[in-house]
Structures are given as structure tokens and as C-alpha cells.
Amino acid sequence: MKLSLRHLLSVRDLTKRDVELILETSRSFKGISERDIKKVPTLRGRTVVNAFFEDSTRTRLSFEIAEKRLSADTVNFSISGSSMAKKGESFIDTIRNIEAMKPDIFVIRHSQAGAAAQAAKLIHGRVVNAGDGQHEHPTQALLDLFTIREQKGRLKGLKVGIVGDIAHSRVARSDIVLFQKMGMEVSVAGPATFMPFGIEDWNVKVFTDVRAMLPQLDVVMALRIQRERMGEQFFPNEREYARFFGINQAALHEAKESLVIMHPGPVNRGVELSTEVIDGPRSVILDQVTNGVAVRMAILYLLLGDTKEM
Ligand code: NCD
């Protein structure tokens, strides 16, 4: 079975069947990371370039580990130390030059929305968007979805709430579209300045009080405040944010016992979530990280691999 697309740029491009295929394939790849020898020959002889024009910890390591577990040859490009940083080479010229070395797949992160899509037009191989500005982060949304299904055993009809900086978050944008595609009901909560322009058209319930939203939810996703994408006028005070929108034990008082708590990382302890909640029994934040490797293995395999070799 194959995906209906050549590049993974946006969750909007995925059919429901594509999503099911990625979830199923991720499940079979998850076991590889639990073995003693964590490697299969699936992508032997394929070259993957991880081109990170913006900082990353989890996403970059997760892709690299996924690629190595599939036996691909991996090369990492990061902006610091490159000719882009020191010699003013443009993004497009940088991509063209890497492309001239004939990699099979590019994993691209960039601070500009649309960067991965722009690169896809120049590249013969495949492109995976690993986060473009505040636009999309499709592999994060897929690993979030996988984690929710693993926890809940189903997707359709689940109520998910996303809390915090919706306006500047590519995770929120990809999560909302993907979760709705799979039949989940999405609500958001956060200060008015963190709500994007046009949110009325997103088909989400908007709460200005997180405590009013929490009791209804099966899953809650807290987001980091994206300071690097905003001016100071948006966000005066972390303590104030924590008081009204931070999730601690008291805020969870009326939440369902089975509520699952998620965060894409990096977490600011004591701001969007309290330490006891991050390390508590409802938190699946590290499961998200574990699952990220399996989901990225599945995506790379489905975009590149030969089904016969699995
Ligand atoms: C997010 C990102 O970079 O988009 N992190 C991630 O990839 N797991 C969210 C963030 O930076 O807050």
C-alpha cells in the first residue's frame, strides 16, 4: 500500500486512508525500538538529508534515530556553521546545492511558513516538512494522533482541548486539522491575544477559561508560549499566564479520571504545566517522544521504501 502523496508538507494533503496507513505502519515499527538490535535494512542505500534551518532538539534527533533504525545514510545540515550563516547563501541556493548531491529525501525545518513546499518544487526526491514557521508540523500531529489512539483505543468522538498560544503554534494548526479529519472534537483555550485571527472559521469551541474546558475533555494538549514568534505586547507575564491557563493539580480537580495530558515539548515547567502534572500518571509527554521515532520511521518508509523489504 502506498500514500497518495509524494511529499509530506501539510496534514491537509493526507486522506483518511493515508492517516490510517501511517498509524498502522507506525504500530509495526514501534516494536523495532524495543528490540536489542534496533535496526532493519528497509532504507539501506537511501540518503536522507536533515536540513534544519531552525533549532530543534526532539524533532531532529527523532528523525535521525528513525533514519538510522531503517539503515538509511543520514546527513545533517544545520544553519550554524553553514555558508548561509557566514557567506549569505540563500535558502534556495542551499537546497539546490544539496539536491545536486542526489539525496533521496529531505527533512526540512525552517522559520518561514511555506519553506518546505518551496523546496519541494526544486527537488526530485521527497520532502518531509519538520516544521515551517507557525504554519504546520505534520509529523508532530501524526505522532500526537498515534499517541492518542494508543492511549484511548479509538479516535472518533474524542474531545480534545488545546491550551495556550494557538496563534503562533504550528503544532496547534496541524493538530486541529488532523484531529478533526479523524472525527475528533477540538476546543481551544487561551488568552485572547493568543487566539489567531479568523478562529471563528476553524470549527473549534473557544474557551477563555481553561478550568471551564477541562472537565469535558478526554485529552488535553498544552503548548509552549512561542516567545520567538511574538512581540512583548502579546505576553506580559509568565506568572499571570500560569495562574489563569497553567494546568496544575487544582485545575484538574473536575477533570475526568481518564484525562490524558500531552505537550509537544519543550515544556516550561511551572508555566503551561506544573511539575507534578508533567511527571504525574496522566502525562504521556514522554510516550509522545517515544512514538515520534516509530511514526517518523513509518513516514520515511511509506514515502521511500519498497514494501517487499519490510
Ligand atoms: C514544537 C516545534 O518546534 O514546533 N516542538 C516540537 O517540534 N516538538 C513546539 C515548540 O517549539 O514549542
Side-chain angles (χ1 to χ4, degrees):
M1 290 228 280
K2 288 232 150 76
L3 292 176
S4 70
L5 34 83
R6 195 178 155 73
H7 308 290
L8 179 56
L9 302 174
S10 161
V11 292
R12 291 176 196 275
D13 301 334
L14 294 164
T15 64
K16 269 176 88 166
R17 203 195 127 269
D18 289 331
V19 177
E20 288 296 346
L21 181 59
I22 292 169
L23 294 182
E24 278 316 302
T25 311
S26 306
R27 210 152 57 122
S28 54
F29 276 132
K30 191 169 170 178
I32 294 168
S33 298
E34 278 147 23
R35 296 182 193 164
D36 256 1
I37 308 290
K38 300 175 181 58
K39 211 173 182 70
V40 290
T42 314
L43 294 188
R44 199 171 45 200
R46 305 287 199 153
T47 307
V48 185
V49 175
N50 300 308
F52 279 68
F53 299 88
E54 188 195 78
D55 295 343
S56 170
T57 304
R58 263 157 301 275
T59 307
R60 192 171 59 76
L61 283 176
S62 180
F63 269 107
E64 201 179 337
I65 288 175
E67 292 150 10
K68 291 197 187 315
R69 291 196 179 154
L70 294 172
S71 306
D73 293 318
T74 65
V75 186
N76 294 317
F77 168 89
S78 63
I79 181 92
S80 61
S82 72
S83 288
M84 266 181 90
K86 295 272 156 52
K87 302 178 185 171
E89 191 169 22
S90 73
F91 171 66
I92 293 201
D93 279 330
T94 304
I95 294 291
R96 281 211 176 101
N97 277 269
I98 303 174
E99 165 72 4
M101 300 177 210
K102 312 278 182 222
D104 296 290
I105 191 157
F106 277 76
V107 175
I108 299 180
R109 167 167 288 198
H110 199 285
S111 57
Q112 295 294 316
Q118 192 183 20
K121 296 201 185 99
L122 303 168
I123 289 170
H124 287 106
R126 311 295 172 118
V127 176
V128 178
N129 180 6
D132 62 330
Q134 56 191 53
H135 176 232
E136 278 235 30
H137 194 349
T139 63
Q140 179 71 42
L142 285 158
L143 77 87
D144 291 340
L145 190 76
F146 180 89
T147 305
I148 293 171
R149 182 142 90 184
E150 185 177 67
Q151 292 294 322
K152 297 287 181 190
R154 68 190 174 101
L155 294 173
K156 205 162 176 233
L158 289 178
K159 292 193 166 61
V160 184
I162 304 180
V163 184
D165 185 5
I166 313 293
H168 302 96
S169 171
R170 55 191 171 209
V171 176
R173 279 183 181 71
S174 290
D175 274 352
I176 291 170
V177 172
L178 186 66
F179 294 170
Q180 290 177 339
K181 195 186 287 266
M182 303 314 282
M184 296 150 83
E185 259 178 62
V186 184
S187 311
V188 297
T193 47
F194 284 175
M195 290 300 143
F197 185 71
I199 185 116
E200 313 76 59
D201 304 326
W202 290 23
N203 198 22
V204 293
K205 256 200 254 169
V206 181
F207 288 84
T208 45
D209 178 358
V210 71
R211 291 179 193 221
M213 177 173 81
L214 280 167
Q216 312 174 15
L217 301 179
D218 301 299
V219 177
V220 67
M221 170 89 61
L223 298 173
R224 185 178 66 87
I225 292 144
Q226 313 269 304
R227 274 192 180 282
E228 70 278 23
R229 303 192 203 289
M230 67 179 77
E232 274 306 305
Q233 76 275 16
F234 277 100
F235 187 70
N237 184 329
E238 278 189 356
R239 215 164 342 130
E240 196 179 310
Y241 178 85
R243 204 160 123 222
F244 292 105
F245 295 98
I247 301 175
N248 55 20
Q249 291 298 11
L252 291 172
H253 189 60
E254 285 178 49
K256 290 184 188 169
E257 203 48 55
S258 60
L259 175 73
V260 164
I261 297 171
M262 304 175 73
H263 193 302
V267 186
N268 296 300
R269 280 182 181 262
V271 182
E272 53 271 10
L273 296 172
S274 70
T275 281
E276 53 191 356
V277 170
I278 295 169
D279 302 326
R282 288 153 151 168
S283 163
V284 297
I285 297 171
L286 293 179
D287 298 76
Q288 288 172 269
V289 179
T290 300
N291 291 337
V293 174
V295 170
R296 291 180 172 116
M297 286 171 81
I299 290 163
L300 293 166
Y301 162 74
L302 290 167
L303 288 174
L304 267 187
D306 178 349
T307 345
K308 291 195 296 288
E309 282 185 24
M310 195 174 159

